[in-house]
mmCIF file of all heavy atoms in Angstrom:
data_model
loop_
_atom_site.group_PDB
_atom_site.id
_atom_site.type_symbol
_atom_site.label_atom_id
_atom_site.label_comp_id
_atom_site.label_asym_id
_atom_site.label_seq_id
_atom_site.Cartn_x
_atom_site.Cartn_y
_atom_site.Cartn_z
ATOM 1 N N MET C 130 4.474 -94.006 76.909
ATOM 2 C CA MET C 130 5.785 -93.531 77.321
ATOM 3 C C MET C 130 6.527 -94.655 78.016
ATOM 4 O O MET C 130 5.940 -95.451 78.749
ATOM 5 C CB MET C 130 5.652 -92.345 78.292
ATOM 6 C CG MET C 130 5.095 -91.096 77.634
ATOM 7 S SD MET C 130 6.215 -90.429 76.388
ATOM 8 C CE MET C 130 7.555 -89.878 77.428
ATOM 9 N N GLY C 131 7.799 -94.733 77.812
ATOM 10 C CA GLY C 131 8.602 -95.780 78.412
ATOM 11 C C GLY C 131 8.711 -95.621 79.917
ATOM 12 O O GLY C 131 8.701 -94.533 80.454
ATOM 13 N N THR C 132 8.783 -96.753 80.628
ATOM 14 C CA THR C 132 8.926 -96.711 82.076
ATOM 15 C C THR C 132 10.383 -96.842 82.488
ATOM 16 O O THR C 132 10.708 -96.597 83.634
ATOM 17 C CB THR C 132 8.117 -97.848 82.717
ATOM 18 O OG1 THR C 132 8.537 -99.107 82.160
ATOM 19 C CG2 THR C 132 6.632 -97.670 82.437
ATOM 20 N N LYS C 133 11.236 -97.257 81.557
ATOM 21 C CA LYS C 133 12.666 -97.334 81.828
ATOM 22 C C LYS C 133 13.377 -96.346 80.897
ATOM 23 O O LYS C 133 13.165 -96.358 79.691
ATOM 24 C CB LYS C 133 13.188 -98.751 81.611
ATOM 25 C CG LYS C 133 12.616 -99.760 82.596
ATOM 26 C CD LYS C 133 13.222 -101.137 82.386
ATOM 27 C CE LYS C 133 12.617 -102.146 83.348
ATOM 28 N NZ LYS C 133 13.186 -103.503 83.150
ATOM 29 N N PRO C 134 14.209 -95.477 81.438
ATOM 30 C CA PRO C 134 14.792 -94.380 80.655
ATOM 31 C C PRO C 134 15.951 -94.808 79.763
ATOM 32 O O PRO C 134 17.102 -94.631 80.098
ATOM 33 C CB PRO C 134 15.243 -93.388 81.725
ATOM 34 C CG PRO C 134 15.556 -94.244 82.908
ATOM 35 C CD PRO C 134 14.571 -95.377 82.859
ATOM 36 N N GLN C 135 15.630 -95.402 78.623
ATOM 37 C CA GLN C 135 16.672 -95.793 77.679
ATOM 38 C C GLN C 135 16.112 -95.814 76.265
ATOM 39 O O GLN C 135 14.996 -96.269 76.039
ATOM 40 C CB GLN C 135 17.229 -97.172 78.027
ATOM 41 C CG GLN C 135 18.286 -97.638 77.045
ATOM 42 C CD GLN C 135 18.933 -98.954 77.442
ATOM 43 O OE1 GLN C 135 19.837 -99.432 76.768
ATOM 44 N NE2 GLN C 135 18.506 -99.543 78.527
ATOM 45 N N HIS C 136 16.902 -95.278 75.320
ATOM 46 C CA HIS C 136 16.607 -95.436 73.897
ATOM 47 C C HIS C 136 17.632 -96.416 73.334
ATOM 48 O O HIS C 136 18.819 -96.350 73.678
ATOM 49 C CB HIS C 136 16.737 -94.113 73.147
ATOM 50 C CG HIS C 136 15.818 -93.035 73.639
ATOM 51 N ND1 HIS C 136 14.473 -93.227 73.827
ATOM 52 C CD2 HIS C 136 16.064 -91.736 73.966
ATOM 53 C CE1 HIS C 136 13.921 -92.109 74.252
ATOM 54 N NE2 HIS C 136 14.857 -91.189 74.354
ATOM 55 N N LEU C 137 17.178 -97.303 72.454
ATOM 56 C CA LEU C 137 18.084 -98.273 71.840
ATOM 57 C C LEU C 137 17.746 -98.394 70.366
ATOM 58 O O LEU C 137 16.586 -98.601 70.002
ATOM 59 C CB LEU C 137 17.945 -99.633 72.523
ATOM 60 C CG LEU C 137 18.827 -100.761 71.984
ATOM 61 C CD1 LEU C 137 20.306 -100.461 72.232
ATOM 62 C CD2 LEU C 137 18.448 -102.090 72.615
ATOM 63 N N TYR C 138 18.767 -98.262 69.512
ATOM 64 C CA TYR C 138 18.568 -98.335 68.066
ATOM 65 C C TYR C 138 19.636 -99.239 67.456
ATOM 66 O O TYR C 138 20.800 -99.199 67.858
ATOM 67 C CB TYR C 138 18.659 -96.952 67.422
ATOM 68 C CG TYR C 138 17.740 -95.938 68.051
ATOM 69 C CD1 TYR C 138 18.217 -95.048 69.007
ATOM 70 C CD2 TYR C 138 16.397 -95.883 67.702
ATOM 71 C CE1 TYR C 138 17.367 -94.128 69.601
ATOM 72 C CE2 TYR C 138 15.542 -94.966 68.288
ATOM 73 C CZ TYR C 138 16.027 -94.088 69.237
ATOM 74 O OH TYR C 138 15.192 -93.193 69.835
ATOM 75 N N VAL C 139 19.222 -100.038 66.473
ATOM 76 C CA VAL C 139 20.149 -100.898 65.740
ATOM 77 C C VAL C 139 19.886 -100.711 64.253
ATOM 78 O O VAL C 139 18.736 -100.762 63.811
ATOM 79 C CB VAL C 139 19.961 -102.383 66.113
ATOM 80 C CG1 VAL C 139 20.872 -103.259 65.263
ATOM 81 C CG2 VAL C 139 20.252 -102.606 67.592
ATOM 82 N N LEU C 140 20.934 -100.465 63.474
ATOM 83 C CA LEU C 140 20.772 -100.372 62.028
ATOM 84 C C LEU C 140 21.970 -101.002 61.332
ATOM 85 O O LEU C 140 23.077 -101.039 61.875
ATOM 86 C CB LEU C 140 20.587 -98.930 61.574
ATOM 87 C CG LEU C 140 21.682 -97.909 61.801
ATOM 88 C CD1 LEU C 140 21.520 -96.754 60.804
ATOM 89 C CD2 LEU C 140 21.622 -97.325 63.213
ATOM 90 N N TYR C 141 21.692 -101.543 60.160
ATOM 91 C CA TYR C 141 22.720 -102.153 59.325
ATOM 92 C C TYR C 141 23.018 -101.201 58.177
ATOM 93 O O TYR C 141 22.104 -100.731 57.494
ATOM 94 C CB TYR C 141 22.260 -103.510 58.809
ATOM 95 C CG TYR C 141 22.160 -104.556 59.901
ATOM 96 C CD1 TYR C 141 21.015 -104.654 60.676
ATOM 97 C CD2 TYR C 141 23.218 -105.408 60.168
ATOM 98 C CE1 TYR C 141 20.919 -105.593 61.694
ATOM 99 C CE2 TYR C 141 23.136 -106.355 61.177
ATOM 100 C CZ TYR C 141 21.978 -106.439 61.940
ATOM 101 O OH TYR C 141 21.894 -107.363 62.949
ATOM 102 N N ILE C 142 24.306 -100.936 57.975
ATOM 103 C CA ILE C 142 24.726 -99.929 57.007
ATOM 104 C C ILE C 142 25.651 -100.575 55.975
ATOM 105 O O ILE C 142 26.576 -101.312 56.343
ATOM 106 C CB ILE C 142 25.469 -98.775 57.716
ATOM 107 C CG1 ILE C 142 24.575 -98.148 58.796
ATOM 108 C CG2 ILE C 142 25.901 -97.718 56.712
ATOM 109 C CD1 ILE C 142 25.282 -97.118 59.650
ATOM 110 N N GLY C 143 25.389 -100.289 54.718
ATOM 111 C CA GLY C 143 26.225 -100.827 53.645
ATOM 112 C C GLY C 143 27.515 -100.049 53.500
ATOM 113 O O GLY C 143 27.739 -99.381 52.478
#
Side-chain angles (χ1 to χ4, degrees):
M130 292 294 292
T132 56
K133 294 183 182 179
Q135 178 175 182
H136 300 310
L137 180 65
Y138 306 98
V139 176
L140 62 157
Y141 291 85
I142 303 173

